[in-house]
Amino acid sequence: MNSDSDLQIAGDILEVPHLLQAPREHPATVAEFAGLLRSLAADRSAWEHLVRYDATTRWYHRLRTGPGYEVWLLSWLPGQGSGRHDHGPSSGVWTVLEGTLTEHTGRGTHALDAGRQRVFAPGYVHEVVNDALEPAVSLHVYYPGLTEMPMHSPQCSAAADAEDTAADADSAPAR
């Protein structure tokens, strides 16, 4: 069959609005959360004026909330890190907006430049550090919203590290 005949038989889908899904107001899938981060990253006016740097600890600001999720903006001065932790029952996606951050997991070390994303599942153990000489800024979404962040000792078991489920999600630069 050719597509002209198919279109004549089926008609124009846009002419039957009751068959179209209503657009979602909030993200609900990993891909949609990753897309939300990409769009926020691209809109520097939404976050750039909020960034602060604290010489004593990582700085963070809750940028947005939605049904069941939170978006956090973080800044990292050289040498600052998160400590080895997981996010309890939350899944998430995070991206580097400026600078470079290093993620340490049981599966290795990943240097993440601006525009790189990481995805993680509940129980994913990692440590994020600014090993560079310049400040860094990152954006994180958690679903459900972040309610706990259990810390882990550096000697965490190999079995727990084997459960690491993060994936690189290369994307276009965030700027």
Side-chain angles (χ1 to χ4, degrees):
M1 290 188 171
N2 71 38
S3 59
D4 290 339
S5 299
D6 293 343
L7 184 57
Q8 290 171 354
I9 293 169
D12 184 355
I13 191 71
L14 298 177
E15 295 298 321
V16 278
H18 65 281
L19 297 177
L20 297 175
Q21 286 186 350
R24 282 197 277 258
E25 184 179 347
H26 297 284
T29 66
V30 172
E32 290 172 346
F33 283 119
L36 171 64
L37 283 188
R38 279 192 302 275
S39 69
L40 286 171
D43 183 8
R44 293 182 72 82
S45 67
W47 56 266
E48 188 173 41
H49 66 284
L50 298 169
V51 175
R52 304 288 180 266
Y53 296 98
D54 186 328
T56 60
T57 187
R58 286 176 298 135
W59 172 88
Y60 51 90
H61 171 77
R62 188 166 53 190
L63 187 63
R64 178 182 288 188
T65 61
Y69 73 90
E70 298 177 326
V71 179
W72 290 86
L73 180 66
L74 283 75
S75 71
W76 313 71
L77 288 173
Q80 290 180 337
S82 64
R84 191 170 171 79
H85 68 281
D86 69 60
H87 303 98
S90 299
S91 295
V93 182
W94 64 281
T95 188
V96 178
L97 299 174
E98 293 181 350
T100 301
L101 292 172
T102 303
E103 181 186 40
H104 302 280
T105 71
R107 292 185 178 176
T109 298
H110 309 276
L112 304 168
D113 297 322
R116 298 286 302 271
Q117 289 186 335
R118 297 285 286 164
V119 175
F120 60 88
Y124 175 69
V125 178
H126 71 156
E127 179 178 19
V128 179
V129 180
N130 182 353
D131 287 333
L133 298 176
E134 300 294 326
V137 178
S138 60
L139 193 61
H140 307 244
V141 64
Y142 302 102
Y143 180 85
L146 194 60
T147 58
E148 56 185 271
M149 195 172 121
M151 300 306 288
H152 295 259
S153 69
Q155 294 80 23
C156 211
S157 73
D161 288 340
E163 295 176 9
D164 288 349
T165 55
D168 248 331
D170 289 328
S171 63
R175 297 188 235 211

